[in-house]
Amino acid sequence: LQRLEPGRQALLAARARRKRPLTDDKVLADWNGLMIGAMARAGARLAEPRYRAAAERAAAFVLSRMRSEGALLHAFRDGRASVPAFLDDYAFLVEGLLQLHAATGEARWREDAVRLAEEQERRLGDPAGGAWFAAGEDEHLLLRSKAGFDGAVASGNGVAALNAVELARLTGDAAWADRAEGALLAFADGMEQSPLAHVTLARALDRFLETRRP
């Protein structure tokens, strides 16, 4: 490493003479939801209070600063939040709040998760076909998509179904189990034809069936 240090310093000096690249400094609700869940789990399993505290700070920020007229927003930058939340925002944030509740035992995180999941149902739920749309109603959208397959991140519908199963367990409200079942039925054909593309929904199905076992 010592032999490489002069070259590294020379490269840094040359780079410093050029204009620095732009920095992507926006805050996204869905990405924060993923990190909140990860930090809450790590804090609990590693007995590291700093991780749990970081998850709590992030959750408090998203819930207080990334809302407008009582509804969740997707992005925050330069002091203002914008863009109505998508399914991934709701699903990942609810999952993060549930992990935070599990890590801390504090009822407020469970209550926030319930409120957010109810908002998700009002804005994105499909009473006729089951599951949830990717985005809310908007006159500029040609169609409202509803996907169940996993991509670079887990499926929003899969995570939302997992959340619904967990909310049914935590609250004792069977309506959440019904919503999970509706999502599983909506994507049943896709799960059967391509199970490896629907791993998150398959996990939700397994947990759903566990709740029905005697």
Side-chain angles (χ1 to χ4, degrees):
L1 291 177
Q2 290 181 345
R3 292 173 58 190
L4 295 175
E5 186 59 21
R8 192 181 76 86
Q9 291 296 333
L11 286 172
L12 285 173
R15 182 66 187 83
R17 294 194 292 271
R18 298 173 55 192
K19 184 178 180 180
R20 297 188 66 82
L22 296 176
T23 301
D24 185 353
D25 58 359
K26 63 181 177 292
V27 174
L28 299 179
D30 51 349
W31 291 4
N32 270 270
L34 291 170
M35 183 56 77
I36 289 164
M39 296 295 280
R41 286 193 300 272
R45 294 178 185 179
L46 301 176
E48 178 50 79
R50 291 181 304 155
Y51 298 164
R52 186 173 65 244
E56 290 181 302
R57 288 195 303 272
F61 179 92
V62 175
L63 292 172
S64 62
R65 302 292 302 279
M66 297 182 67
R67 299 188 69 83
S68 176
E69 299 179 358
L72 182 68
L73 296 176
H74 170 63
F76 182 94
R77 186 173 185 273
D78 289 339
R80 66 181 289 269
S82 61
V83 185
F86 301 104
L87 175 59
D88 283 2
D89 297 309
Y90 285 108
F92 297 161
L93 186 54
V94 168
E95 197 269 342
L97 293 171
L98 290 173
Q99 291 289 344
L100 200 47
H101 167 68
T104 65
E106 294 187 17
R108 61 171 174 155
W109 302 123
R110 181 190 66 236
E111 293 164 359
D112 283 330
V114 170
R115 281 193 291 268
L116 207 59
E118 290 173 342
E119 182 183 319
Q120 170 194 303
E121 185 67 24
R122 289 193 301 271
R123 288 196 58 240
L124 306 179
D126 181 6
W132 299 272
F133 291 108
E137 293 184 1
D138 190 317
E139 62 182 9
H140 298 101
L141 288 177
L142 295 176
L143 58 87
R144 296 175 74 194
S145 62
K146 189 168 59 174
F149 55 84
D150 296 320
V153 294
S155 154
N157 267 289
V159 174
L162 282 167
N163 292 340
V165 173
E166 179 65 7
L167 288 170
R169 186 188 70 81
L170 287 174
T171 66
D173 185 349
W176 290 113
D178 292 340
R179 290 165 186 162
E181 185 175 18
L184 293 169
L185 289 172
F187 296 109
D189 288 344
M191 294 168 66
E192 182 178 11
Q193 294 168 14
S194 183
L196 290 180
H198 296 79
V199 170
T200 307
L201 278 164
R203 291 176 54 219
L205 174 60
D206 186 56
R207 290 195 192 176
F208 177 79
L209 292 175
E210 283 182 358
T211 66
R212 299 301 173 97
R213 291 170 187 146

